[in-house]
Each structure stands twice: as structure tokens, then as C-alpha cells.
């Protein structure tokens, strides 16, 4: 029996953090042997924020290194750039045409931007349509993501159903999100959701100095013996059964607990950082992986795009 299909993506918008890792990227590595996997660098999605060619190039190379450094094996999985597979933007146009504005105006990301009175780009508004295309082109069964992407997967399912229904053809398969309980929303050093845009992250490939600085800045309240924001991050790195005795012994000693957390994070990140540095020394090897990935992704995506074109009557 052939394997089920898994697809996910990360935008090249800056350094990944431990929230991205535990919430999504760790699952990519853990599941790579069980599924036929596609891992995308969502560069066209990033274009809403990154509007400088050098930054874009650097960030794309960065996500490729991140993927390889966390252990994705390019011999087994397909790693590719969204912009290398033009079927994504073509299919997104078809979805734009069958989706109404009021429907997309219900998306959280749009509502948040509106609430902040931000001027949002058409690309940001249509973001879920491109994401639906990313997923549906590959007959994807599962999409490992953090909780914040749940609505995007729901929109993807709605869009697949709408297309199939409108054109009376069974072209797209409905995907399921894979959101792991306990790490669905990793908190940042201020206790809010960890996010590149909130300045509250611990970078996944942080230096020792950055780890020390960020952990020492974790916001603690003095109400109980256990600093909850420290504990919430600590349990990502050590089993709760082990933490119970440590937090009992060091009750109320926030500085000692932060120092213990620093040691655990350093031990976890050091080998990842070393691997990433080694990979960065050979950019042409990374380039070859992306060229090869694009070729593989294109085969699958172009076949599905042709099905969609036939369904709408342009082919
Ligand atoms: P950010 O919100 O930091 O910009 P991205 O949008 O690049 O992160 O997200 C990449 C992946 O990481 C997505 O699957 C997203 O759901 C997941 N993710 C982001 N932040 C968190 C978090 N704090 N906890 C769990 N998963 C997260
Ligand atoms: N929207 C996702 C994020 O912000 C990135 C993404 C783009 C994605 N296309 C995707 C994730 C397809 C999963 C599947 O993190």
C-alpha cells in the first residue's frame, strides 16, 4: 500500500523559534518515515512581509538550512520552494474566483489586521487561497501545524468541497490538520503565544548568550512557588516527572530554576546549531536539494493542476 501524504510549510520571514519547532517542525522530522512528505518554503506567502530581494534570498536559504538541520532527509522527503512550482499560484486564482469576499473576511488573520486598522495587501487577504492550493495540489492527507493555522486548514477543506461541488468533479481530497496537544500554542517569554512578531521568542538556533538573555527575561510573577512561564517552557525540554522534583526542591528560587532551564536549552540547541553551521558551509549542496525538490513537486502538482483545468473547462 502506498503511504499517505503529508505536507507543510514555513514562511521565510526570519529566524524560527522553539514555538515553531515544538508546534510544527518537530512533527515534520518525527513523521518523515511514515508518510510521503512535502516540505515547502512558503516564499510567495512571505512576500507580504519581505519586500527586499537580498532579505528574501537569505531567508529562503535559511529555511532550507533549518529543515535540514532539524533532520529532514532530502533523500526521503521533498523540500521545495513554493515559487518554483507555478501550479500553486495558478490554482490559487481558480480558488479566488469561486470564493466570496465575505467568506474570507471571516478569517482570523484578516479580522486581526482590520481590528488594528492596518492597511492589508490583497495578498494578505487572499493568503488562505494560496495556502489551500499548496495543500490540495498534492492530495495531502495530513498537515502538521500549530493551533494558529487550524482555521486555514478548515478554509482549505471548505475550498476543496466548494470546487468539487461547483464543477461536479471529485478533484480535491479533504486534508486533516495534525495539531499536537500540549504544544499547539507554545508560550513566549512574556507568557503570550511565542511569535516572530511579538519579540518574545527563544530562537531555535540561538547562541548561548541569546539563550541566557531570553531565559533571564522570562516574566515571572511572585504569587506561587512555581514560576509558570519558566515551567511552561521547561516542560518542552524535560519530562514533567523529572521536573516535579526539581521544582519542588527549588521552590520559590526563580533564579536557580531559570539557570536549570538555560542548561537544558543549551544542551538541546548546541548540536542543532552545529549541524546548521556545517550545512551553511556548502550552499551549492542546498541549492541542488531545492532544484531536485522542485522537479519532484512539479510532477505531482502539474498533474493535479491539469485535473483542475479540465474540471473548469479550460483544457
Ligand atoms: P510565527 O507565528 O512565529 O510567524 P510561522 O507563521 O512561521 O510563525 O509558523 C510556522 C509554523 O509554526 C506554523 O505551523 C505555526 O502554526 C507554528 N507555530 C508558530 N508559532 C507557534 C507557537 N507559539 N506554538 C506552536 N506552534 C507555533
Ligand atoms: N501559513 C503557514 C504559517 O503561517 C505557512 C504555510 C503556507 C503552510 N502554506 C502552507 C503551512 C501549507 C502548511 C501547509 O505558518
Amino acid at each position: 500500500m502506498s503511504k499517505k501524504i503529508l505536507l507543510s510549510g514555513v514562511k521565510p520571514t526570519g529566524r524560527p523559534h522553539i514555538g515553531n519547532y515544538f508546534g510544527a517542525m518537530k512533527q515534520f522530522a518525527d513523521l518523515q518515515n511514515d508518510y510521503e512528505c512535502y516540505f515547502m518554503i512558503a516564499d510567495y506567502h512571505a512576500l507580504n512581509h519581505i519586500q527586499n530581494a537580498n532579505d528574501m534570498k537569505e531567508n529562503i536559504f535559511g529555511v532550507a538550512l533549518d529543515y535540514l538541520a532539524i533532520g529532514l532527509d532530502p533523500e526521503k522527503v521533498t523540500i521545495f520552494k513554493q515559487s518554483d512550482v507555478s501550479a500553486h499560484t495558478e490554482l490559487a486564482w481558480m480558488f479566488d474566483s469561486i470564493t466570496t469576499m465575505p467568506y474570507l473576511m471571516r478569517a482570523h488573520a484578516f479580522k486581526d489586521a482590520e481590528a488594528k486598522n492596518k492597511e492589508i495587501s490583497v495578498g494578505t487577504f487572499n493568503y488562505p487561497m494560496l495556502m489551500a492550493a499548496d495543500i490540495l495540489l498534492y492530495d495531502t492527507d495530513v498537515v502538521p501545524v500549530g493551533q494558529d493555522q487550524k482555521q486555514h486548514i478548515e478554509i482549505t477543506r471548505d475550498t476543496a468541497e466548494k470546487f468539487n461541488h461547483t464543477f461536479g468533479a471529485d478533484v480535491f481530497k479533504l486534508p486533516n490538520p495534525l495539531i499536537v496537544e500540549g504544544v499547539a500554542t507554545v508560550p513566549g517569554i512574556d507568557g503570550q503565544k511565542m511569535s516572530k512578531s511579538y519579540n518574545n521568542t527563544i530562537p531555535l538556533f540561538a547562541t548561548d548568550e541569546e539563550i541566557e538573555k531570553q531565559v533571564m527575561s522570562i516574566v515571572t510573577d511572585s504569587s506561587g512557588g512555581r514560576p509558570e512561564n519558566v515551567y511552561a517552557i521547561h516542560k518542552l525540554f524535560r519530562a514533567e516527572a523529572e521536573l516535579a522534583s526539581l521544582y519542588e526542591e527549588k521552590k520559590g528560587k526563580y533564579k536557580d530554576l531559570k539557570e536549570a532551564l538555560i542548561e537544558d536549552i543549551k544542551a538541546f540547541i548546541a548540536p542543532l546549531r552545529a549541524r546548521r553551521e556545517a550545512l551553511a558551509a556548502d550552499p551549492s549542496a542546498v541549492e541542488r536539494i531545492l532544484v531536485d525538490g522542485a522537479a519532484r513537486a512539479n510532477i505531482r502538482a502539474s498533474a493535479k493542476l491539469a485535473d483542475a483545468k479540465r474540471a473548469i473547462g479550460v483544457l
Side-chain angles (χ1 to χ4, degrees), residues 3 26 29-30 45 67 105 129 156 180 182 214 287 295 311:
K3 285 181 179 172
K26 179 174 187 292
D30 290 348
H45 273 127
Y67 278 167
M105 283 160 107
M129 298 290 94
T156 299
V180 178
Q214 292 305 84
E287 187 53 35

Side-chain angles (χ1 to χ4, degrees), residues 7-11 40 42 45 82 127 131 134-135 143-145 149 152-153:
L7 177 141
S8 195
V10 171
K11 282 177 294 185
M40 192 180 69
H45 273 127
Q82 187 181 36
Y127 187 108
M131 182 154 162
D134 298 338
I135 296 169
V143 188
V145 282
Q149 296 300 311
H152 285 148
I153 313 296

Side-chain angles (χ1 to χ4, degrees), residues 18-27 144-147 178-180 183-186:
I18 59 169
N20 300 135
Y21 179 73
F22 288 101
M25 294 163 81
K26 179 174 187 292
Q27 281 63 260
V145 282
Q147 179 69 26
L178 191 145
I179 298 171
V180 178
V183 289
T185 306
V186 172

Side-chain angles (χ1 to χ4, degrees), residues 166-301:
T166 303
F167 298 105
D170 199 13
V171 176
F172 296 115
K173 184 166 182 178
L174 271 53
N176 286 301
L178 191 145
I179 298 171
V180 178
E181 219 186 300
V183 289
T185 306
V186 172
I189 60 171
D190 56 359
Q192 286 192 78
K193 178 199 153 190
M194 187 176 288
S195 170
K196 286 170 206 159
S197 30
Y198 299 161
N199 228 338
N200 64 354
T201 69
I202 298 175
L204 177 57
F205 300 98
T207 61
D208 284 353
E209 295 70 37
E210 285 173 318
I211 297 168
E212 286 161 19
K213 178 169 172 286
Q214 292 305 84
V215 171
M216 283 304 171
S217 320
I218 295 175
V219 178
T220 48
D221 69 35
S222 46
S223 58
R226 187 168 96 175
E228 291 306 330
N229 291 337
V230 177
Y231 185 81
I233 295 177
H234 214 157
K235 72 184 167 67
L236 302 167
F237 296 91
R238 198 177 276 280
E240 290 195 72
E242 283 177 51
L243 288 181
S245 54
L246 176 70
Y247 277 70
E248 189 48 45
E249 186 194 324
K250 304 276 185 193
K251 205 167 178 179
K253 297 185 175 151
Y254 292 0
K255 185 154 180 286
D256 289 1
L257 289 167
K258 283 184 170 179
E259 276 164 4
L261 173 58
I262 287 171
E263 288 320 305
D264 284 343
I265 300 182
K266 280 184 182 172
F268 178 82
I269 287 182
L272 285 179
R273 205 176 51 218
R275 202 166 336 145
R276 194 176 187 281
E277 276 163 21
L279 289 157
D282 190 357
S284 57
V286 175
E287 187 53 35
R288 278 196 301 278
I289 289 168
L290 295 182
V291 169
D292 180 52
R296 278 190 268 167
N298 260 303
I299 292 172
R300 222 191 151 94

Side-chain angles (χ1 to χ4, degrees), residues 88-106:
H88 291 236
T89 43
E90 275 192 74
L91 182 60
W93 178 258
M94 294 185 204
F95 292 160
D96 284 344
S97 307
I98 60 166
T99 303
T100 67
M101 300 227 337
Y103 176 80
L104 280 184
M105 283 160 107
R106 289 201 290 271

